[in-house]
Structures are given as C-alpha cells and as structure tokens.
Amino acid sequence: MPMQDPNRLLVIMPAWNEGETVGNTVREVLAQGKDYDVLVVDDGSSDSTGALAEEAGATVLRLPFNLGVGGAMRAGFKYARRKGYRQVIQVDADGQHDPRDIDRVVQGLKRADIAIGARFAEAGNYKVSGPRKWAMSFLAAVVSRLAGEKLTDVTSGFRAANVRALDQYIDHYPAEYLGDTIDSLVVAVRSGCTVTQIPVQMRVRQGGVPSHNPAKSTIYLLRSVFALGLAMTRRKSQVNSGKA
C-alpha cells in the first residue's frame, strides 16, 4: 500500500446520509489550498453520500452498514495509519465545523498530541443552558483536571491528532456511540497523551436532518457522564514516541 507524504494532513469526515451537505463541505475543505487530503467514511448511508463525496474530490471509505460516529472514526484512523499520515483531524460532514479553522486547530499539535476546536473558548456565540450546560461543565472540569489543562469543550468532535494519539485511538477508540468523544479523550489522557484547545466558532448545520434534537443531545451528554465513569476504569495503554 503506497505511503502518503508525511507532511500532508488527512481530514476524516464521518458521514451518514449527508448527501445534502457532504459535497459542499468537501469542496470547502479542499478550497483552503492547503496540503489536505479528505477521507469521507460513508457510514452505511442509504442516500448518495458516497458518490457526491467522490464527485467533490474526496476519497471514500464505504462501510457496509451503519456503525455510528465512533465506528466510522476508528475505520478512518486505521486508514490513516496504514497510509502513513502523521496528522489527522475530524471534520463533520454537515458543515458545522468551519474549514477555515482547520489549520488553526492543527497548529495546536505543535504543543500537544490532541488539539480540540473548542466552542466555549473566547470565540463565537455558541451557548447551551439547563441540563446540557451542567453536564458539559462537569465533563470539562473532570477532564481538565485529568489533562492538567483547562478545557472547555471536551465533547467537541472537531479534533486533531498526531501519531501518538492516532496509535492510541486505533487501539482504544470506542466503536459504540456512547460518549465516544469523552471515552476516547479520557483514555488517551490517562495513557500519556497531552491535550490543548483552540477557540473556534461553530456554524449552524448547513442542511440535512440533525441526528440530535435538544432532548437527544441532553440524553447524549448524560450518557457521556456515564461513559466518563467507564473510561476511568479502562486500562491505560503506552503511547509511542511519535515516530513511524
């Protein structure tokens, strides 16, 4: 299998029935004019997600059935490592993550193994309230203490990773959609990976049907609190030195 230029960045885009938005999102990413390659992980879509992503210029990895974001990302991480990429970033196919922020988030890898594009860090006007706010604040406080770094948005999927984090994710990234962002982050931190955050502004969904309405989002966050407890019981793993 041919290896990629180690200086190129792989943008991993999990997508399930995102035919309305994925093509434009891929084109926006490629229009940045950077050394970005885009991998769309078509997570068992029943629409034209895969075909539209290819038409826009992405490489498409098609999964035979829907695994959820965790399973799709794990497949993307394995693809990245086999192809020789040394840096990856997750970008949502629905257009909420602004491609103009990709480079800024990836720059965080100069000082940490994982860089989070954070919605609550002096950028944008993204706000939550009620149980969602309480759950997110609690999660951020616990993970910040574990990481030794102030983090405000630990459930953000807009995250970049270097080789050390990538290898750890391949072994331990949860395939199930139960607080996958929290579980993977906590295990990575407890295994020795460092984390930083970069302020970003989240955009509104560019089209399609959101997988989470407010009620489901609240349930997801409460499940994330439960996932945090499970993550604290998982065994640590040894991360490598970052060399291929």
Side-chain angles (χ1 to χ4, degrees):
M1 182 177 292
M3 303 294 280
Q4 296 293 334
D5 180 344
N7 295 317
R8 295 188 71 83
L9 171 74
L10 182 65
V11 177
I12 303 176
M13 200 176 292
W16 178 57
N17 292 337
E18 295 286 3
E20 188 175 337
T21 59
V22 68
N24 187 61
T25 304
V26 169
R27 283 187 287 270
E28 272 197 278
V29 170
L30 295 176
Q32 300 307 306
K34 304 286 187 176
D35 290 331
Y36 299 161
D37 294 328
V38 180
L39 174 71
V40 171
V41 183
D42 183 357
D43 191 19
S45 298
S46 58
D47 67 359
S48 56
T49 291
L52 291 170
E54 283 183 328
E55 184 180 295
T59 297
V60 176
L61 179 62
R62 289 179 169 84
L63 302 183
F65 47 83
N66 181 248
L67 294 179
V69 176
M73 286 306 300
R74 194 163 187 170
F77 294 141
K78 289 181 178 179
Y79 173 94
R81 202 62 179 105
R82 289 171 183 169
K83 285 288 190 176
Y85 290 96
R86 301 183 62 80
Q87 294 183 330
V88 303
I89 187 168
Q90 177 182 346
V91 172
D92 284 353
D94 61 14
Q96 291 191 80
H97 298 157
D98 191 334
R100 293 173 296 183
D101 286 329
I102 290 175
D103 190 59
R104 294 178 55 247
V105 176
V106 172
Q107 290 300 311
L109 297 180
K110 291 182 177 180
R111 61 179 184 270
D113 300 312
I114 298 168
I116 302 172
R119 296 165 287 188
F120 313 112
E122 304 173 359
N125 55 5
Y126 187 90
K127 297 184 183 302
V128 294
S129 59
R132 294 184 68 207
K133 181 178 181 179
W134 306 332
M136 293 176 92
S137 297
F138 172 74
L139 291 168
V142 173
V143 179
S144 293
R145 184 166 183 175
L146 287 173
E149 177 85 6
K150 183 178 180 180
L151 304 172
T152 60
D153 191 10
V154 294
T155 63
S156 171
F158 195 11
R159 299 196 311 197
N162 64 12
V163 171
R164 281 166 53 88
L166 188 56
D167 285 347
Q168 204 282 330
Y169 282 163
I170 288 172
D171 287 339
H172 298 287
Y173 204 94
E176 65 277 5
Y177 194 50
L178 171 61
D180 50 286
T181 52
I182 290 295
D183 194 330
S184 61
L185 186 59
V186 168
V187 175
V189 168
R190 294 183 69 234
S191 298
C193 289
T194 55
V195 185
T196 191
Q197 71 176 23
I198 307 297
V200 299
Q201 182 166 348
M202 195 70 65
R203 305 189 300 188
V204 297
R205 185 181 176 92
Q206 303 299 293
V209 179
S211 58
H212 281 168
N213 57 34
K216 288 183 178 179
S217 294
T218 300
I219 292 172
Y220 169 74
L221 286 166
L222 294 175
R223 291 172 69 191
S224 292
V225 174
F226 176 69
L228 172 63
L230 291 180
M232 296 296 290
T233 67
R234 290 182 184 268
R235 67 180 179 85
K236 300 179 183 179
S237 64
Q238 296 296 318
V239 294
N240 64 32
S241 62
K243 298 179 180 179

